[in-house]
Amino acid sequence: MRLFDLHCDTLYRAYTEGKTLFEPDFHISFDRAQEIAPYIQCLAVWIPDEYRNETAVQLFDGCVRKLEEQLAGRHIQRCVTAADLERVAQDNGTGIILTVEGGAVLAGNLANIQRLKQAGVRMMTLTWNGRNELGDGVGVEKAGGLTAFGRQVIGALEENGIVVDISHASERLFYDTAEVSRLPFVASHSDAKTVCPHRRNLTDEQFRVICERGGLVGLNFCRDFLHKQSTNAKMYDIIRNAEHFLALGGEKTLAIGGDFDGADIPADMDGIHSMPALYEMFLHHNYSETLVRDIFFNNALDFFCRYEAIQRAEVISRKKEMV
């Protein structure tokens, strides 16, 4: 099977716990993923809400160093361009995309977006659950939206080819982002609020906005987001969320954003090793092979390749507007 997963916290765990990307007890071990090809995994650097300024920057830098050490001598492709992704797909290889979970990594300085770009970051969530310099996350009481700095960040991320990710955002921040952004944006790891009314999940209207903008939504495997009674969550609840999003017209929007190594997953799942079984479960519920391939791989690949082309055209357009 082919897999493109938009979010995991495996790199953060490897760095903070002094372990590797090949741990047998992690949800994701690249040694355990041999039966999946091609396999493209977004590796997030999580910036917890209590990290600010230099401590946030140091955490990011440490994770990047860890990644470089872990990939040395391995046949794993660092994917920065569409050409990198297409090469992994054609060669049935393994690739990774570096992402950031939490805009506090910028330490309130737009110049740090260049640091992210130079490190190969292709996607960044604007917040985690709390408040940072960009705006409010979903966990803030009476949450606001984007700050003035956050509005600047949106444009700067787009200019530098870094995809805006609104998972963890407050509703006001979501709609501010929809207003300010000129390029498609994503919710890398979020489920359907209609299916499970957790604050982290997307409303139907939010999902429709992402669809209309040509964005992407990754199905999250966190049991709290899958079922009202989290301890009862099963792998099938992922399909329930997918069915709802598909009913809203999400055939080309829906993807995988498992949140492995960052969340408690259903008891009948065993991390990356369970993905072939989930794939087969989709097929057994009368989804076509074409649709399942799109959800598990093609939609995400198409998005990142399409985003690169749209972003280049947008940069040219902005330069012309400035003349």
Side-chain angles (χ1 to χ4, degrees):
M1 62 164 284
R2 298 151 63 92
L3 178 64
F4 195 136
D5 183 355
L6 298 175
H7 185 82
C8 76
D9 289 286
T10 311
L11 175 60
Y12 172 85
R13 284 195 64 185
Y15 174 68
T16 57
E17 297 177 25
K19 295 185 178 180
T20 75
L21 296 176
F22 308 94
E23 297 291 332
D25 59 334
F26 281 3
H27 289 155
I28 291 179
S29 167
F30 284 91
D31 285 341
R32 296 176 69 197
Q34 299 303 311
E35 61 186 308
I36 301 173
Y39 173 35
I40 299 172
Q41 180 66 57
C42 292
L43 292 176
V45 178
W46 176 39
I47 309 296
D49 282 330
E50 62 268 23
Y51 280 68
R52 286 292 184 272
N53 302 315
E54 191 58 28
T55 58
V57 174
Q58 289 174 353
L59 175 58
F60 172 77
D61 289 344
C63 286
V64 172
R65 288 193 301 272
K66 183 73 172 186
L67 178 62
E68 292 169 349
E69 294 168 2
Q70 291 291 291
L71 297 188
R74 297 275 185 168
H75 295 293
I76 299 176
Q77 171 74 49
R78 283 284 301 273
C79 296
V80 178
T81 67
D84 295 334
L85 294 169
E86 289 170 341
R87 188 177 306 112
V88 171
Q90 291 167 4
D91 295 344
N92 283 328
T94 300
I96 67 97
I97 297 176
L98 182 62
T99 72
V100 177
E101 185 176 26
V105 71
L106 300 178
N109 186 348
L110 283 177
N112 280 327
I113 291 177
Q114 277 294 323
R115 290 184 48 145
L116 300 189
K117 181 179 181 180
Q118 290 167 6
V121 172
R122 290 296 314 277
M123 181 166 66
M124 187 186 87
T125 61
L126 301 179
T127 68
W128 196 57
N129 289 336
R131 174 176 292 142
N132 65 27
E133 296 90 345
L134 284 69
D136 287 354
V138 72
V140 177
E141 188 175 353
K142 297 181 181 178
L146 288 170
T147 63
F149 176 69
R151 289 173 179 267
Q152 290 181 296
V153 167
I154 299 289
L157 289 173
E158 292 181 338
E159 185 174 342
N160 284 280
I162 299 175
V163 177
V164 172
D165 182 357
I166 55 74
S167 282
H168 289 280
S170 69
E171 281 204 36
R172 284 190 59 184
L173 191 142
F174 174 94
Y175 286 108
D176 283 353
T177 299
E179 175 188 348
V180 172
S181 62
R182 296 173 65 164
L183 299 181
F185 57 91
V186 309
S188 65
H189 54 304
S190 296
D191 292 325
K193 189 168 284 187
T194 298
V195 176
C196 178
H198 193 283
R199 66 185 187 183
R200 268 278 285 109
N201 287 341
L202 298 172
T203 66
D204 291 356
E205 178 59 29
Q206 287 176 310
F207 185 79
R208 289 191 185 99
V209 169
I210 295 173
C211 286
E212 291 166 1
R213 297 290 296 271
L216 205 60
V217 173
L219 291 164
N220 194 322
F221 303 162
C222 176
R223 65 189 189 186
D224 291 330
F225 307 161
L226 290 172
H227 197 286
K228 292 179 182 178
Q229 294 182 314
S230 62
T231 55
N232 293 336
K234 302 293 183 184
M235 192 187 307
Y236 173 68
D237 292 305
I238 299 168
I239 293 180
R240 291 200 308 125
N241 279 268
E243 285 178 346
H244 184 77
F245 282 143
L246 291 169
L248 298 175
E251 293 86 355
K252 295 300 181 182
T253 304
L254 202 55
I256 299 296
D259 209 356
F260 282 141
D261 289 308
D264 292 325
I265 60 176
D268 60 347
M269 294 190 74
D270 182 28
I272 194 70
H273 189 65
S274 298
M275 294 309 293
L278 178 62
Y279 189 96
E280 290 299 319
M281 184 178 285
F282 270 86
L283 293 178
H284 290 158
H285 282 80
N286 296 320
Y287 290 99
S288 71
E289 183 94 31
T290 297
L291 178 57
V292 179
R293 285 177 177 173
D294 286 347
I295 294 170
F296 276 69
F297 191 85
N298 294 334
N299 286 345
L301 178 65
D302 174 72
F303 172 83
F304 278 97
C305 293
R306 179 166 40 88
Y307 185 91
E308 184 175 295
I310 296 171
Q311 189 267 343
R312 286 176 179 171
E314 179 63 22
V315 169
I316 293 172
S317 175
R318 289 184 183 184
K319 287 180 179 178
K320 287 181 179 178
E321 290 176 2
M322 294 173 63
V323 174

